Amino acid sequence: MNVMIIGCGNLLRSDDGAGPMLIRKLWEHGVPPGVRLADGGTAGMDVAFQIGDAEELILVDACKSGDEPGTIFEIPGEEVETPPLKDVNLHDFRWDHAIALGRWLLKSRFPKKVTVFLIEAENISYGFGLSRTVDNALDRLADELLQRLGGKKSEA
């Protein structure tokens, strides 16, 4: 198994930090051999270079779709991949651009499977820490990912 899980988001915007906080939860619980974890933060270009030679890529981020806070969406990467736009600068370069750049850059080494998990945020105002609703959703997602990847279930 060669899986890369990257959590994206801004830790200083409450629930927008869901991706990096999931990485911390998985790190604390321990992941099976062959699973790598990375905090992608808010730098999409960093995400592109973290992909490496993974066979499977899992990206996790918060979203604001208007759905119930704590809802977890699972989306194939191809459905949200955005080719880098002309004149995009590093501040505008997001993880959806990173998928397209990674596919172009890595060619046959690009992961065969890309999955994006988005967690509906309750609060994305400035501040550190997740809402209880999003924190509970991350516990559920951590358990689901550990189960899928053959690791031990968390004891949250």
Side-chain angles (χ1 to χ4, degrees), residues 2 5 9 12-14 16 19 21 42 48 51 77 80 89 98-99 101 110 124-125 127 141 148 153:
N2 184 1
I5 303 175
L12 301 177
R13 298 289 307 250
S14 303
D16 190 43
M21 293 303 284
T42 59
I51 295 170
V80 291
N89 63 53
I99 296 172
L101 177 67
F110 187 76
I124 57 169
S125 60
L141 181 54
R148 286 185 190 190
K153 192 173 181 179

Side-chain angles (χ1 to χ4, degrees), residues 45-141:
M45 189 63 75
D46 290 349
V47 171
F49 289 104
Q50 291 286 345
I51 295 170
D53 290 324
E55 295 169 7
E56 180 178 357
L57 172 63
I58 298 171
L59 289 167
V60 181
D61 198 3
C63 69
K64 284 294 273 185
S65 69
D67 215 308
E68 186 73 26
T71 300
I72 300 171
F73 302 95
E74 181 176 354
I75 307 164
E78 307 82 53
E79 290 185 20
V80 291
E81 179 178 331
T82 304
L85 307 173
K86 185 178 181 181
D87 299 325
V88 169
N89 63 53
L90 287 178
H91 296 287
D92 296 330
F93 195 89
R94 305 177 312 254
W95 57 258
D96 50 340
H97 298 117
I99 296 172
L101 177 67
R103 187 179 306 282
W104 173 81
L105 191 64
L106 297 171
K107 309 224 183 315
S108 64
R109 294 184 354 229
F110 187 76
K112 291 168 187 34
K113 181 178 181 185
V114 178
T115 307
V116 177
F117 288 93
L118 298 174
I119 297 99
E120 185 71 23
E122 182 175 322
N123 175 19
I124 57 169
S125 60
Y126 288 105
F128 183 77
L130 302 173
S131 66
R132 182 181 310 252
T133 304
V134 170
D135 193 44
N136 289 340
L138 287 186
D139 287 337
R140 293 191 316 270
L141 181 54

